[in-house]
Amino acid sequence: MLQTPVQAPAPAQAPAPAQVHAQPQAPQPPVQPHPQQAYAGAGGYVSPIPVRPTHLGHALLSEWTKIRSLRSTIWTLGVMLLLCVGIGLLAALAAGSDRELDPVLGLGFVGVLLGSLCVITLGVLSISSEYGTGMVRTTLTACPSRVRMLTAKAIVFFTLALVITTVATGLVALLDSAMLNGPAPTADQWLRATVGAGLYVALLGLLALSVGTLLRHSAGAISTMMGVVLLPMLLALFLQGESLKDVQQALIEYSVPSALATLYDIPFLSTGPTGWTPVWILAGVTAVTLGGAYAALLQRDV
């Protein structure tokens, strides 16, 4: 019996793929980077804590917070106000209204000279205390820019010293002019006895801050500044030889006490700087010393 061969079923043909018409996609807006992406770490981690680039204003706020919260600021400036106003008032009471004085504002000189020693001490402590306690490392970690840090310290301290000292000298000048008898002070005399004296004392404090930055030691910097203020006048007292007369005269003319007395129109010698010249001389010395402080701060490890 013959069997007909069974034919294998033909393979099913795959259906023809349907033609898909691509729809045009709308342009996607560019992806904005995270505002803190610039501060992301190596792994691309972005901190959820807001991060802002720092500037001089932040350093100024930090230094103002530090200087107004220190007890040394309250003590030194408080003693300075007491010396300036107290000695000025006592001198006016001792002179009396019957005695005629010229210049009338000259009695404020002694109080300002003694008060300047307090400002010098505060200027040194505002930087050297951080070196003594080691907090300067924390300060430089928070503010890596050393120029910005020292600039902020200088601005805050100089402004505070200038305002407080000018207020004190202005109050003493008003008391002297009201209580003493003598020719009325001119406008220039008023300015030199108030703003000029305040500016001179503030520059002395800024010079002390610069010396404190250079030496990084409170006792050494304060001793150095006391020598700058008092040593020329003391040396002049012992230089009595005829051959040393010119040196003695120069030491007296350019000493700090004589410069302050010149601002009050009571110079120790008839020669030497007059008017506002002592302020400009001290400003130049302070600028040079502060420049050295910047250079030393940038070169040192801490």
Side-chain angles (χ1 to χ4, degrees):
M1 188 174 184
L2 298 175
Q3 293 181 355
T4 57
V6 180
Q7 297 181 354
Q13 295 182 355
Q19 294 183 356
V20 180
H21 298 283
Q23 297 293 333
Q25 296 182 354
Q28 298 294 328
V31 179
Q32 298 292 333
H34 193 277
Q36 295 182 197
Q37 191 66 37
Y39 307 99
Y45 172 74
V46 179
S47 172
I49 303 174
V51 177
R52 297 179 298 172
T54 57
H55 50 75
L56 181 61
H58 297 118
L60 290 172
L61 182 60
S62 173
E63 294 301 329
W64 168 243
T65 302
K66 283 192 287 187
I67 198 170
R68 68 184 174 86
S69 59
L70 291 174
R71 286 179 294 179
S72 59
T73 304
I74 300 174
W75 279 103
T76 52
L77 293 183
V79 173
M80 187 271 290
L81 284 172
L82 182 62
L83 289 174
C84 289
V85 179
I87 293 179
L89 180 60
L90 290 176
L93 291 174
S97 59
D98 297 334
R99 180 181 175 186
E100 184 172 348
L101 297 176
D102 186 18
V104 174
L105 306 180
L107 291 180
F109 156 71
V110 179
V112 173
L113 178 61
L114 295 178
S116 66
L117 302 180
C118 301
V119 177
I120 288 172
T121 303
L122 180 61
V124 171
L125 292 178
S126 62
I127 181 68
S128 63
S129 60
E130 293 196 33
Y131 281 103
T133 59
M135 285 299 295
V136 67
R137 296 181 178 85
T138 304
T139 299
L140 293 178
T141 301
C143 181
S145 175
R146 302 187 177 201
V147 172
R148 183 190 302 166
M149 182 271 289
L150 186 56
T151 302
K153 280 186 179 295
I155 292 175
V156 169
F157 171 78
F158 180 79
T159 304
L160 178 63
L162 177 61
V163 171
I164 297 297
T165 309
T166 303
V167 169
T169 54
L171 182 58
V172 172
L174 289 174
L175 290 173
D176 288 346
S177 62
M179 298 174 60
L180 300 176
N181 185 24
T186 63
D188 185 60
Q189 287 177 326
W190 272 103
L191 282 175
R192 282 189 282 113
T194 54
V195 178
L199 186 58
Y200 193 90
V201 173
L203 285 171
L204 271 178
L206 188 57
L207 178 63
L209 187 148
S210 304
V211 173
T213 306
L214 289 170
L215 299 183
R216 298 181 293 177
H217 191 270
S218 298
I222 292 174
S223 300
T224 300
M225 286 304 303
M226 294 302 170
V228 170
V229 174
L230 303 175
L231 190 58
M233 189 63 65
L234 294 175
L235 285 176
L237 296 177
F238 294 97
L239 299 178
Q240 300 295 335
E242 188 65 26
S243 60
L244 298 174
K245 186 175 181 180
D246 292 339
V247 177
Q248 180 190 40
Q249 182 175 348
L251 288 173
I252 296 175
E253 289 173 351
Y254 293 95
S255 64
V256 171
S258 180
L260 270 175
T262 300
L263 294 175
Y264 284 92
D265 281 338
I266 49 173
F268 293 171
L269 298 176
S270 57
T271 58
T274 59
W276 291 85
T277 305
V279 176
W280 311 138
I281 293 175
L282 182 60
V285 174
T286 303
V288 172
T289 310
L290 186 59
Y294 276 110
L297 192 62
L298 290 174
Q299 293 296 324
R300 290 194 299 239
D301 183 20
V302 176

